Amino acid sequence: MLTFARWKYFAILAVLIFSVIYALPNAYPQDPSVQVSAAKAGSIAIDAPLAKRIEGILAEAKIPAKSIKVEEQGNLLVRLADTEQQTRAADLLRPRLGSDYVVALSLAPTAPQWLESLAAKPMPRGLDLQGGVHFVMQVDQNAALDKRLDAYVEDVRSTLRDAGVPYTSVVRRGNEALIATLGVNADKAKAQQHLRQSFPNLGLSLEGQTLTLDVPQSELSRISLEAIEQNLNTLRNRINAFGVAEPVIQRQGTDRIVIQLPGLQDTAEAKRQIGATATLEFRAVTGEEAAAAAAVKDRSVPPDSRVYYTAQKVPLLLSKRLLVSGDQLVNAQPMTDPQTGRQGVQITLNSVGGQRMLDHTLENVGKRLGIVYVEQIPTTSIVDGKEVQSIRTDERVINSATIQGVFGKNFQTTGLSAEESKSLANQLKSGALAAPMVFVEERVVGPSLGAENVKRGTTAVLYSFVFALTFFLIYYRMFGLITCLALLLNLLMVIALMSLMGATMSLPGFAGLALSVGMSVDANVLINERIREELRAGVPPQAAIATGYDKASGTIFDSNMTALLAGVALWAFGTGSLQGFAITMIIGILTSVFTAVTVSRGIATLIYGGRRKLKSIAI
């Protein structure tokens, strides 16, 4: 007897409703838009007067806008009818608004609010479908070596000081060696012992009162490699925090990093997001405002100090010796001082940075500590008619407070606006770059090219689907119709699951989708042919249907599980396009097994299960 449990029908109905809801946002096209934001966080208000000004500029140029709205994120979004108007509006607004604003192209969702409240969003699309920006960045490895070897110099000083070994100086000799000059009565054996333990990768030699730590080429190579890896990890953290769907960030060669950001179609906006980096440096104050002003005027800056300026252009003398930098940061959170109401950042250091801060505050209670905000910004200049990429470093003292008591790993700093505090905390949490980088290649994949790829990919999947359905309807008749309904639900489930998971659809993903349709067809062929074999053997129709599904199910599971293992291997060991293909294939295999074995059987039972005198079936 052909039977099917009622709870399974309810399960299929629930799956159908779920699939429709979470696949539905993909039916709403995105609006070509122009996003306007402040060039520097917190520097300029993004408000209603600005929206009114932009509305007037666009109206003057006869560019109709669907809407102009200030968003909660602090950006202003102008929705337009098509990509041509989008480009015209961006080109018009950039010179009119000036350098205080960043005008970027974007795509804005149009799905209803009730779908968003259910966390139903359209599938993110890859660079080849949605458009976006492609960068190649080159890491300044010489800067990475300078930074690491300068840190080694400070570590040598700390090691000798902690060991109680007096010294007169510790300096670098290029990238080749570190030179430590010991005091007259220093215990040389003790100094050698502690330095060997702290720096096992460096060669150590002693001549008189001079200890030389040679830096081998293998150590320099390791530092350069680690700089690339740290920059890769830092960029991944930062870009993930921006919410870009499925960015590609990978190493190229020995000193370059490739970055692809789907959905962003403006290189200036992308550079602002990933190129500008910020960190904090903590240095002792060696001269107050008057002494600093006099030193600047007389050009008599002490050799162990350097002149820094506050946001109000007031000079301060700070030590060249760096106490703690962003490298030693573990966590950072924006905060508001409950006593003064000033905005700032709550900082947690690692053990090395915490110990340095503790040692300094123990010996310098009552003295001042300077906190320097350092921002590195990639810039483009024209030299002899050619574009030249460089790094501009902006430094300013954001705080120079008196040390009231001893502290170590946990403390807070103020002196920033609310937006700057939030931005700095995010960048500090994502990690410090081991070395600055410059953009050596950039290109934009326009939305029109992405739209063409979407159209062609959709057409390819549609034709594969139509060909399969036509064959089934002709060859299997009623069971061909059942198969068509199962395939439709299968396709709907794949789209819904990929949308819910946030899996990015790309051109290889379309290939995986077409393959999953083919594999679902294969499963239904096995079932239908098994039913026909049972009918030829003289088995009654209802028993033939039940036996066909029962006997074919094992074969379907076996064949699909082997394909599933191949898909998992592609996803685990592949990158980029291979992973996009694999994730679509994996989801398609799982849904095709469900629709072929369960859904189609439920429909067949619904049609033929209640007919007691059934003599034949249309197969």
Side-chain angles (χ1 to χ4, degrees):
M1 184 67 181
L2 186 59
T3 59
F4 196 76
R6 286 191 178 181
W7 68 267
K8 292 184 180 180
Y9 282 117
F10 287 111
I12 293 172
L13 181 61
V15 168
L16 178 61
I17 295 172
F18 167 87
S19 300
V20 169
I21 290 174
Y22 286 94
L24 190 58
N26 296 282
Y28 292 89
Q30 294 175 305
D31 279 339
S33 305
V34 174
Q35 180 178 286
V36 180
S37 56
K40 191 172 182 181
S43 59
I44 292 181
I46 305 293
D47 50 17
L50 176 63
K52 197 71 177 175
R53 178 186 170 192
I54 290 175
E55 184 180 0
I57 294 173
L58 295 179
E60 182 182 339
K62 297 182 179 179
I63 300 176
K66 287 185 176 182
S67 67
I68 302 175
K69 182 181 178 182
V70 178
E71 297 184 304
E72 294 179 0
Q73 297 86 349
N75 300 320
L76 186 144
L77 193 68
V78 182
R79 293 175 181 260
L80 299 153
D82 53 45
T83 55
E84 182 181 349
Q85 291 184 359
Q86 179 193 34
T87 304
R88 284 181 57 206
D91 292 341
L92 179 66
L93 290 175
R94 284 193 186 100
R96 296 287 292 272
L97 295 181
S99 59
D100 291 334
Y101 297 93
V102 173
V103 179
L105 306 180
S106 65
L107 294 169
T110 59
Q113 187 63 40
W114 68 270
L115 282 175
E116 292 186 11
S117 65
L118 295 173
K121 298 179 181 178
M123 272 186 293
R125 286 181 283 180
L127 194 69
D128 49 4
L129 300 184
Q130 190 173 353
V133 294
H134 170 99
F135 292 126
V136 178
M137 303 188 76
Q138 185 160 2
V139 179
D140 187 347
Q141 292 185 324
N142 290 328
L145 292 174
D146 287 341
K147 188 175 181 180
R148 183 65 64 87
L149 293 177
D150 285 342
Y152 277 178
V153 169
E154 184 60 34
D155 291 341
V156 170
R157 290 178 180 143
S158 299
T159 301
L160 293 176
R161 186 166 56 249
D162 293 342
V165 177
Y167 63 92
T168 57
S169 67
V170 179
V171 295
R172 274 179 57 192
R173 187 175 67 201
N175 293 340
E176 301 173 359
L178 311 176
I179 311 297
T181 304
L182 303 181
V184 178
N185 299 319
D187 187 337
K188 299 175 184 178
K190 187 177 182 181
Q192 286 180 293
Q193 177 188 352
H194 282 81
L195 289 176
R196 280 199 179 96
Q197 291 176 352
S198 299
F199 304 95
N201 296 329
L202 306 184
L204 185 63
S205 60
L206 176 65
E207 184 177 343
Q209 297 300 116
T210 302
L211 270 172
T212 302
L213 288 90
D214 295 308
V215 184
Q217 185 59 43
S218 59
E219 181 68 5
L220 295 177
S221 300
R222 186 183 67 83
I223 292 172
S224 298
L225 181 61
E226 286 184 353
I228 292 281
E229 293 302 322
Q230 182 175 333
N231 280 16
L232 274 171
N233 292 332
T234 299
L235 286 172
R236 287 191 184 103
N237 291 337
R238 286 193 180 148
I239 291 171
N240 288 339
F242 295 139
V244 177
E246 290 295 321
V248 174
I249 308 163
Q250 58 191 20
R251 180 178 168 184
Q252 183 184 77
T254 58
D255 62 350
R256 292 190 174 188
I257 296 175
V258 175
I259 302 172
Q260 293 181 352
L261 303 177
L264 291 178
Q265 290 137 21
D266 189 278
T267 54
E269 167 67 5
K271 283 182 178 179
R272 186 178 77 87
Q273 290 193 7
I274 66 174
T277 61
T279 188
L280 295 180
E281 294 181 350
F282 296 83
R283 301 176 183 270
V285 176
T286 57
E288 302 297 335
E289 290 85 345
V296 171
K297 182 178 179 181
D298 300 335
R299 297 183 180 179
S300 58
V301 179
D304 63 341
S305 300
R306 179 184 161 193
V307 177
Y308 287 84
Y309 292 88
T310 65
Q312 292 75 33
K313 305 300 181 183
V314 177
L316 274 178
L317 283 175
L318 302 184
S319 173
K320 287 183 177 180
R321 179 189 173 194
L322 181 61
L323 289 174
V324 174
S325 70
D327 294 340
Q328 283 87 41
L329 185 107
V330 173
N331 193 20
Q333 294 288 344
M335 47 74 65
T336 303
D337 191 321
Q339 297 180 348
T340 63
R342 299 177 68 188
Q343 300 293 326
V345 179
Q346 179 72 37
I347 292 174
T348 302
L349 301 175
N350 63 13
S351 57
V352 175
Q355 188 61 48
R356 285 184 184 176
M357 189 63 74
L358 180 64
D359 293 341
H360 180 79
T361 55
L362 276 170
E363 300 172 0
N364 294 277
V365 174
K367 298 181 180 179
R368 296 177 72 188
L369 179 67
I371 303 172
V372 183
Y373 178 88
V374 183
E375 187 175 20
Q376 293 180 319
I377 306 172
T379 59
T380 303
S381 56
I382 306 298
V383 178
D384 297 331
K386 296 182 179 179
E387 288 190 356
V388 177
Q389 300 284 342
S390 60
I391 299 289
R392 186 181 88 243
T393 301
D394 290 340
E395 300 174 311
R396 74 176 188 273
V397 180
I398 61 171
N399 203 339
S400 57
T402 301
I403 300 173
Q404 302 291 343
V406 177
F407 57 86
K409 293 175 63 175
N410 299 292
F411 58 95
Q412 65 188 39
T413 178
T414 56
L416 297 168
S417 68
E419 286 295 326
E420 286 178 324
S421 297
K422 183 178 178 181
S423 176
L424 176 61
N426 287 336
Q427 293 194 46
L428 290 175
K429 279 193 293 186
S430 68
L433 291 173
M437 300 180 294
V438 295
F439 293 92
V440 295
E441 180 187 338
E442 59 183 71
R443 63 176 183 265
V444 178
V445 179
S448 59
L449 178 60
E452 180 67 19
N453 287 336
V454 171
K455 182 180 178 182
R456 293 192 175 201
T458 304
T459 301
V461 173
L462 181 63
Y463 272 105
S464 68
F465 197 76
V466 169
F467 288 153
L469 296 190
T470 303
F471 169 79
F472 266 82
L473 286 172
I474 295 173
Y475 196 70
Y476 290 114
R477 293 187 284 179
M478 179 57 74
F479 273 79
L481 179 60
I482 293 172
T483 299
C484 293
L485 294 174
L487 285 177
L488 285 171
L489 180 56
N490 178 45
L491 190 60
L492 201 63
M493 287 175 64
V494 172
I495 295 172
L497 286 173
M498 290 190 67
S499 300
L500 186 63
M501 294 168 57
T504 299
M505 177 57 74
S506 59
L507 281 178
F510 272 115
L513 195 59
L515 178 62
S516 68
V517 170
M519 296 187 71
S520 182
V521 166
D522 182 55
N524 282 276
V525 167
L526 287 174
I527 293 170
N528 292 343
E529 287 301 323
R530 175 63 72 172
I531 293 172
R532 293 173 75 171
E533 287 180 9
E534 296 298 323
L535 289 173
R536 291 191 194 104
V539 177
Q542 289 187 343
I545 295 172
T547 305
Y549 276 101
D550 291 337
K551 290 186 176 181
S553 296
T555 305
I556 291 171
F557 276 114
D558 291 342
S559 62
N560 280 279
M561 287 309 104
T562 53
L564 185 66
L565 290 174
V568 171
L570 282 175
W571 178 80
F573 301 108
T575 58
S577 300
L578 277 179
Q579 285 188 325
F581 173 82
I583 192 66
T584 311
M585 176 181 165
I586 290 169
I587 295 174
I589 288 172
L590 295 175
T591 56
S592 68
V593 171
F594 172 74
T595 55
V597 174
T598 304
V599 175
S600 65
R601 183 167 187 166
I603 298 173
T605 304
L606 197 64
I607 297 172
Y608 294 110
R611 298 166 66 176
R612 296 184 179 181
K613 296 181 180 181
L614 182 65
K615 294 182 179 181
S616 64
I617 55 176
I619 195 171

